[in-house]
Amino acid sequence: VCLTCCSRDVMVKIDQICHKNSIKFFTGDVFGYHGYMFADLGEHEFVEEKTKVAKVSPGVEDGPDTKKAKLDSETTMVKKRVVFCQLKEALAVDWSGEKAKAALKRTTPDYFLLQ
């Protein structure tokens, strides 16, 4: 479900319905130069490629061939799982705690547009 140009209450209500029924939810809006986007994908599983680089010719230590040492890369697939929070939880952050104060420095001002 994708929402735009909706009130905060409507977005929270629709997200709760989507989360309860394991339906992916996206919402966003733009205000001039500023905007926001929120995604609640519930329990989202995905695969990520990890590349491991190893030198093929470890016997050559010095000399002109050192620069030409070939690299061999091995790609493995790693399955990952992320649990997304609901919009209601994201908006209910208590900014008075010490942990929240540290996070405030990393939080974009656009987050507060939705507030």
Side-chain angles (χ1 to χ4, degrees), residues 1-102:
V1 172
C2 297
L3 294 180
T4 186
C5 302
C6 294
S7 70
R8 179 178 165 167
D9 294 337
V10 169
M11 289 186 289
V12 168
K13 184 172 178 101
I14 303 272
D15 180 42
Q16 288 175 332
I17 294 168
C18 289
H19 194 85
K20 181 180 176 183
N21 294 294
S22 299
I23 298 171
K24 295 178 182 355
F25 173 81
F26 297 91
T27 188
D29 211 339
V30 178
F31 306 101
Y33 289 110
H34 298 280
Y36 69 88
M37 192 279 297
F38 179 83
D40 177 2
L41 304 180
E43 291 185 20
H44 182 67
E45 292 185 357
F46 61 98
V47 177
E48 183 175 88
E49 287 184 3
K50 292 284 185 178
T51 305
K52 184 177 179 181
V53 178
K55 290 185 179 181
V56 174
S57 53
V60 179
E61 294 177 9
D62 197 14
D65 293 336
T66 305
K67 293 179 184 176
K68 295 180 183 178
K70 294 182 180 179
L71 296 177
D72 185 27
S73 63
E74 181 182 313
T75 304
T76 57
M77 304 299 260
V78 179
K79 188 175 181 179
K80 295 194 173 188
R81 181 176 164 267
V82 177
V83 179
F84 285 72
C85 72
Q86 293 185 43
L87 180 59
K88 185 176 183 177
E89 295 170 15
L91 295 173
V93 174
D94 179 17
W95 292 101
S96 62
E98 290 301 317
K99 190 174 182 181
K101 286 180 184 177

Side-chain angles (χ1 to χ4, degrees), residues 98-110:
E98 290 301 317
K99 190 174 182 181
K101 286 180 184 177
L104 185 59
K105 293 176 185 174
R106 297 185 316 266
T107 303
T108 177
D110 296 342

